[in-house]
């Protein structure tokens, strides 16, 4: 099969930052299904892995990236019970396995969902990784109860990003929260409002901007940009007994003692945890993806797709990674094969 990958961690401007090559088509066993891939989305995790997985070394076999994927089931393993040949599926992938930037991919059926019926391939593949991340952050980490917590406030940092875009919708439409998103450009502010944010504030003047829209404190914070850069500010603006969740890494230790007086809860959200450790509740990701698909088909959630590249080519993957690395990407970036 055809695949696109890399042997060395090179700047995206280098000719061999991505290479096309042929490799054996895999065969499924156990819980695995073999998917003929039709479209992928590119996320920040893609370029971060590309930049770091082969520093100062040359890999014997090219590494295939790609986490968001969508396609058709063409073979199934002996333990598969949820899918059969011909099913259209979408998924967020497993960071420990070969990725979706190939013609075929093996996926554990327990982290795969049924493709939303009302969306195109490009529209649907934009959603799994970010949708799962946002859903887990709000319902698994913050443990928001749509009935008991209706109307409470959530601040979403980087509201126009991939996770922020779908988190705005889930927090507003499903969790019933009052959503405040951050943005610093006219186009990102418009995007956040189009996703359903009640308020949009400037993250460069966060405390002042919050007060201008009537909030001194918020119940929940979802950080999708830089927990280190905002840590002390977030401690100040989160309510007593509130909850802060971050999906970003931390270059230095966070001072959790700052949360003690307010009894604030802090959580990490890492969408790959369930697949990486084959947790006892790994099937939950399939259930979330199917629930998201249902909400999409009901018109309650919409795609966060913003940029499409057509064609399975090295050039398109370079363009998509260059856009992600710029830090100015809005919504999701997709490559349709």
């Amino acid at each position: 099969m055809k695949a696109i990958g890399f042997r060395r961690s090179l700047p995206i401007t280098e000719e061999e930052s991505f290479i096309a090559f042929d490799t054996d088509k895999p065969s499924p066993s156990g819980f695995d299904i073999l998917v003929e891939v039709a479209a992928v989305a590119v996320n920040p995790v893609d370029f971060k892995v590309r930049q770091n997985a082969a520093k100062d070394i040359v890999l014997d076999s090219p590494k295939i990236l790609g986490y968001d994927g969508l396609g058709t089931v063409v073979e199934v393993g002996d333990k598969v019970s949820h899918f059969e040949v011909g099913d259209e599926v979408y998924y967020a992938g497993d960071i420990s396995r070969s990725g979706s930037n190939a013609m075929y991919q093996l996926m554990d059926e327990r982290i795969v969902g049924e493709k939303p019926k009302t969306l195109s391939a490009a529209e649907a593949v934009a959603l799994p990784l970010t949708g799962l991340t946002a859903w887990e952050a709000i319902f698994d980490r913050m443990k928001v109860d749509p009935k008991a917590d209706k109307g409470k406030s959530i601040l979403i940092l980087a509201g126009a990003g991939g996770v922020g875009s779908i988190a705005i919708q889930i927090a507003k439409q499903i969790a019933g929260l009052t959503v405040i998103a951050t943005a610093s450009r006219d186009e990102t502010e418009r995007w956040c409002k189009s996703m359903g944010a009640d308020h949009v504030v400037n993250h460069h003047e966060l405390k002042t901007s919050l007060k201008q829209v009537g909030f001194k404190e918020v119940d929940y914070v979802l950080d999708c940009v830089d927990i280190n850069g905002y840590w002390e500010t977030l401690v100040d603006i989160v309510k007593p007994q509130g909850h802060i969740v971050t999906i970003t890494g931390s270059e230095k230790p966070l001072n959790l003692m700052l949360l003690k007086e307010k009894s604030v809860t802090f959580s990490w959200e890492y969408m790959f945890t369930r697949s990486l450790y084959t947790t006892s509740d790994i099937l939950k990701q399939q259930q979330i993806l199917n629930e998201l698909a249902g909400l999409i088909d009901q018109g309650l959630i919409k795609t966060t797709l913003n940029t499409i590249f057509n064609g399975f080519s090295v050039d398109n993957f370079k363009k998509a990674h260059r856009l992600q690395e710029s830090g100015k990407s809005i919504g999701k970036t997709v490559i349709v094969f």
Side-chain angles (χ1 to χ4, degrees):
M1 68 174 183
K2 300 290 183 182
I4 291 174
F6 65 96
R7 282 195 170 91
R8 294 186 293 161
S9 291
L10 298 170
I12 198 62
T13 52
E14 294 287 327
E15 183 179 353
E16 293 194 345
S17 57
F18 276 118
I19 57 173
F21 63 99
D22 290 318
T23 188
D24 293 335
K25 184 172 76 171
S27 297
S29 61
F31 289 107
D32 280 349
I33 57 176
L34 181 66
V35 179
E36 183 175 7
V37 184
V40 300
V42 178
N43 299 279
V45 64
D46 291 77
F47 80 76
K48 290 174 183 177
V49 173
R50 195 201 82 246
Q51 291 174 342
N52 294 288
K55 278 187 172 181
D56 305 318
I57 61 171
V58 179
L59 301 174
D60 292 334
S61 300
K63 183 174 180 62
I64 303 172
L65 293 174
Y67 306 103
D68 277 323
L70 178 146
T72 303
V73 178
V74 292
E75 293 182 44
V76 299
D78 55 289
K79 292 184 179 180
V80 170
S81 59
H82 295 91
F83 298 103
E84 56 187 32
V85 172
D87 286 344
E88 289 188 295
V89 295
Y90 75 147
Y91 47 86
D94 179 342
I95 200 166
S96 67
R97 303 184 70 177
S98 187
S100 57
N101 299 351
M103 291 289 100
Y104 296 90
Q105 182 186 17
L106 290 178
M107 283 299 305
D108 188 318
E109 69 158 352
R110 294 170 294 183
I111 57 171
V112 173
E114 298 175 10
K115 172 189 171 291
K117 296 178 175 61
T118 56
L119 297 186
S120 68
E123 291 169 330
V125 80
L127 294 167
L129 188 149
T130 53
L132 283 169
T133 299
W135 191 281
E136 291 180 353
I138 293 168
F139 297 116
D140 292 351
R141 310 299 169 235
M142 296 175 183
K143 301 190 184 303
V144 173
D145 181 332
K147 292 183 179 179
D149 299 318
K150 184 177 180 179
K152 287 185 177 180
S153 55
I154 183 170
L155 173 67
I156 300 174
L157 295 175
V163 174
S165 298
I166 189 66
I168 289 172
Q169 297 184 65
I170 292 171
K172 179 69 177 177
Q173 301 298 334
I174 313 307
L177 302 177
T178 298
V179 179
I180 308 158
T182 73
S184 60
R185 294 177 282 151
D186 290 343
E187 58 267 37
T188 52
E189 181 177 349
R190 288 193 298 270
W191 179 268
C192 289
K193 288 180 178 177
S194 74
M195 293 293 110
D198 295 291
H199 308 281
V200 182
V201 298
N202 191 315
H203 49 257
H204 295 306
E205 301 171 345
L206 189 52
K207 292 172 74 172
T208 300
S209 296
L210 277 172
K211 288 179 181 177
Q212 288 174 346
V213 296
F215 292 85
K216 182 182 177 182
E217 296 175 312
V218 294
D219 295 285
Y220 305 104
V221 176
L222 174 55
D223 165 56
C224 305
V225 60
D226 177 15
I227 193 65
N228 274 313
Y230 291 92
W231 181 243
E232 292 187 2
T233 300
L234 299 184
V235 171
D236 284 343
I237 59 95
V238 69
K239 286 184 180 181
Q241 302 185 109
H243 202 136
I244 299 171
V245 174
T246 184
I247 68 169
T248 66
S250 177
E251 295 178 357
K252 59 183 180 181
L254 298 173
N255 184 2
L256 296 181
M257 283 299 297
L258 296 177
L259 303 177
K260 182 180 179 182
E261 286 189 0
K262 287 186 174 181
S263 298
V264 168
T265 302
F266 173 77
S267 300
W268 299 100
E269 161 55 25
Y270 188 54
M271 190 280 304
F272 293 117
T273 296
R274 283 181 163 122
S275 57
L276 192 59
Y277 292 96
T278 318
T279 60
S280 59
D281 65 347
I282 188 172
L283 190 62
K284 182 76 177 290
Q285 289 203 332
Q286 181 190 104
Q287 295 166 351
I288 294 171
L289 287 171
N290 286 339
E291 189 159 355
L292 278 172
L295 293 167
I296 290 161
D297 290 339
Q298 293 171 48
L300 296 175
I301 298 290
K302 61 183 178 180
T303 184
T304 56
L305 170 65
N306 192 42
T307 304
I308 302 176
F309 295 106
N310 288 296
F312 182 71
S313 69
V314 165
D315 186 51
N316 279 338
F317 279 98
K318 287 183 177 180
K319 288 177 180 176
H321 276 242
R322 193 175 296 117
L323 178 58
Q324 288 295 310
E325 289 180 22
S326 74
K328 296 186 181 299
S329 175
I330 297 175
K332 288 297 292 289
T333 300
V334 165
I335 299 173
V336 177
F337 296 2

